[in-house]
Amino acid sequence: MTTRPGIEFQRLEKSDHDLVRHIEVAPEQIVYCGTIDMAFASQEDRIDLYAIRAAGAAVGFFKIDLKYPQTYGFAHYGDLGLRAFMIDYHHQGRGIGRATLAALPNALRHLYPGARALVLTVNIRNQIAVRSYLQAGFVDTGDIHDGGLAGPQHVMRLPLRPA
Ligand SMILES: CC(C)(COP(=O)(O)OP(=O)(O)OC[C@H]1O[C@@H](n2cnc3c(N)ncnc32)[C@H](O)[C@@H]1OP(=O)(O)O)[C@@H](O)C(=O)NCCC(=O)NCCS
């Protein structure tokens, strides 16, 4: 799906691992988002995988979790979960994360017409990501989720439809 100029979202099947296998974050960032190999090895159901493409190249990745409201008490019926959001280390700091987050709500409205909000957790130490999400219009719900491997996480929510 083409979004704003230069950024595209490509739905991936498990057989598409090779299209994104090269995408890596810095070793100290893995605790925040996992790895591509972890995402493709997972047997979790109701997860949609996407590549983020910029200028035709796969430079990032994310998962949309359709069972988020069944998994987490802080999520509500109709919420989508944003997970494993990552921009390849070599492409970070060039505005691709910001452009992706700006384009994502409209893309998700088209891809998931019934969705009400996009919800995520972000480690309180991951200040670059926290700032990126807030700038993109996510609202910090004030909830703290303690289930993460790397410590407490903020819960953030971006409405996709009027309440
Ligand atoms: C968080 C992430 C997605 C941001 O993507 P990005 O393409 O690097 O971000 P952008 O270039 O669009 O920059 C967004 C903001 O972060 C800042 N930023 C980006 N990289 C930075 C760095 N290494 N140091 C300091 N600030 C940085 C930018 O200056 C910008 O802030 P501004 O708008 O106030 O100028 C990316 O860094 C990433 O993949 N991190 C590892 C995985 C991760 O933490 N995912 C989130 C899981 S919840």
Side-chain angles (χ1 to χ4, degrees), residues 8-49:
E8 292 176 314
F9 300 134
Q10 178 184 8
R11 174 81 186 268
L12 301 171
E13 302 302 328
K14 279 287 176 74
S15 54
D16 292 327
H17 194 164
D18 282 349
L19 297 180
V20 289
R21 200 185 288 276
H22 59 280
I23 294 172
E24 290 181 329
V25 296
E28 66 274 14
Q29 295 176 327
I30 290 175
V31 72
Y32 298 139
C33 59
T35 65
I36 295 290
D37 285 351
M38 287 161 71
F40 277 78
S42 169
Q43 299 299 320
E44 260 186 294
D45 63 353
R46 303 187 67 207
I47 299 277
D48 294 342
L49 311 179

Side-chain angles (χ1 to χ4, degrees), residues 1 17 20-21 26 33 37 57 74 83 101 103 111 131 141 151:
M1 174 173 200
H17 194 164
V20 289
R21 200 185 288 276
C33 59
D37 285 351
F74 56 75
R83 292 173 51 193
L101 292 172
L111 290 163
R131 223 176 40 240
T141 66

Side-chain angles (χ1 to χ4, degrees), residues 142-154:
D143 292 324
I144 296 289
H145 175 59
D146 275 320
L149 289 175
Q153 303 179 56
H154 298 292

Side-chain angles (χ1 to χ4, degrees), residues 122-158:
V122 54
N123 194 287
I124 62 174
R125 290 188 287 116
N126 192 358
Q127 280 305 309
I128 295 172
V130 167
R131 223 176 40 240
S132 299
Y133 293 134
L134 292 174
Q135 280 173 355
F138 280 82
V139 174
D140 185 342
T141 66
D143 292 324
I144 296 289
H145 175 59
D146 275 320
L149 289 175
Q153 303 179 56
H154 298 292
V155 177
M156 295 197 184
R157 159 179 292 270
L158 181 77

